[in-house]
Amino acid sequence: GMGHVFRALAIAQELVQHKVTIVTDKNGTLAIDLLSQSPFELVEVEGAQGFLDWLETRENDLVILDQLDTSRSYVLAVKARSKNVVTFEDLGEGAQEADLVVSDLYKNLHVSDDTQISGISNAILAPSFETFIAPSIFKQKVENILLLFGGTDPSHLTEKALQALGQAKYKGNCTVVLGPGFERNLTLEEYGLTGTLHRNLKYMPGVMR
């Protein structure tokens, strides 16, 4: 779920001229640890009902939900407490009640195009990516491979990819980025590979470039 965290921070930075509050579930300790390092007000609530209760305490011009599939009853409850509601990557029935749905990966086929924007042009990147403008030069020969599978990689895709590269006897350089929630121990040597292993990387654009 670290993608939700970084997207929230990116949006908050764009809206910094307004009063911005980031709200998260109190059980998301990893998210709270990262969000608490930002300059924005952070509120911890007890689940969806806790969030609705908190919304009752203030007047809200805009609520942005980054919770994946929402229910219709939940979004309607949020709308009753806010002037506008936007949802991200929402394939749930609640998306049909939102004022706007933003989907950079896939469209919600049950939501009108009038209330939905989708596609890569609507993807939100961390502001640090704006420091690089020129693309890398395309190379015909693969000499460097970058592996990164999010903040926690619960499906063990990092290990599966390294195993595949080892079985293919890949001799190039591997750069592996492990997110802040990746708690497993691994080395490139155990897969017969060489390269660099990064943990809790602070400046992703530099490594990707």
Side-chain angles (χ1 to χ4, degrees):
M2 299 312 298
H4 301 281
V5 173
F6 292 121
R7 181 154 54 192
L9 290 173
I11 293 173
Q13 289 185 52
E14 290 296 324
L15 299 175
V16 71
Q17 70 272 27
H18 303 283
K19 178 174 174 54
V20 176
T21 303
I22 299 177
V23 185
T24 189
D25 193 291
K26 65 191 308 182
N27 294 318
T29 54
L30 182 58
I32 291 170
D33 180 57
L34 285 172
L35 292 170
S36 62
Q37 299 175 39
S38 76
F40 304 102
E41 177 187 9
L42 177 64
V43 173
E44 301 172 36
V45 297
E46 187 78 52
Q49 186 57 53
F51 179 52
L52 293 175
D53 292 342
W54 177 80
L55 287 175
E56 288 279 13
T57 66
R58 51 184 284 158
E59 183 177 347
N60 309 287
D61 295 307
L62 172 65
V63 171
I64 300 174
L65 301 174
D66 198 340
Q67 303 173 318
L68 294 181
D69 301 344
T70 60
S71 67
R72 177 175 273 110
S73 60
Y74 175 66
V75 173
L76 286 174
V78 174
K79 288 190 70 173
R81 297 163 170 82
S82 174
K83 296 178 181 178
N84 299 280
V85 176
V86 174
T87 67
F88 274 84
E89 303 299 341
D90 190 352
L91 294 180
E93 292 183 351
Q96 300 174 44
E97 303 297 337
D99 296 293
L100 179 66
V101 180
V102 183
S103 307
D104 55 5
L105 293 178
Y106 35 68
K107 294 180 65 174
N108 187 321
L109 300 180
H110 301 290
V111 174
S112 167
D113 287 343
D114 294 336
T115 57
Q116 180 172 204
I117 55 176
S118 61
I120 193 66
S121 60
N122 296 294
I124 295 179
L125 294 177
S128 59
F129 280 89
E130 297 178 8
T131 60
F132 282 107
I133 299 175
S136 296
I137 298 174
F138 183 82
K139 298 178 181 179
Q140 295 293 337
K141 183 179 179 181
V142 177
E143 299 175 337
N144 298 280
I145 290 181
L146 173 63
L147 298 177
L148 59 163
F149 293 102
T152 56
D153 187 16
S155 299
H156 295 253
L157 298 178
T158 302
E159 291 93 333
K160 293 175 182 177
L162 291 173
Q163 183 179 15
L165 289 171
Q167 291 175 348
K169 301 188 184 304
Y170 173 69
K171 298 303 180 184
N173 181 76
C174 287
T175 300
V176 181
V177 179
L178 305 178
F182 193 101
E183 299 178 345
R184 306 182 296 278
N185 294 317
L186 62 82
T187 64
L188 293 176
E189 290 75 17
E190 64 186 287
Y191 297 95
L193 302 169
T194 58
T196 308
L197 200 66
H198 296 280
R199 286 185 178 272
N200 296 325
L201 191 65
K202 300 301 181 184
Y203 189 56
M204 181 71 77
V207 171
M208 296 185 74
R209 181 66 173 85

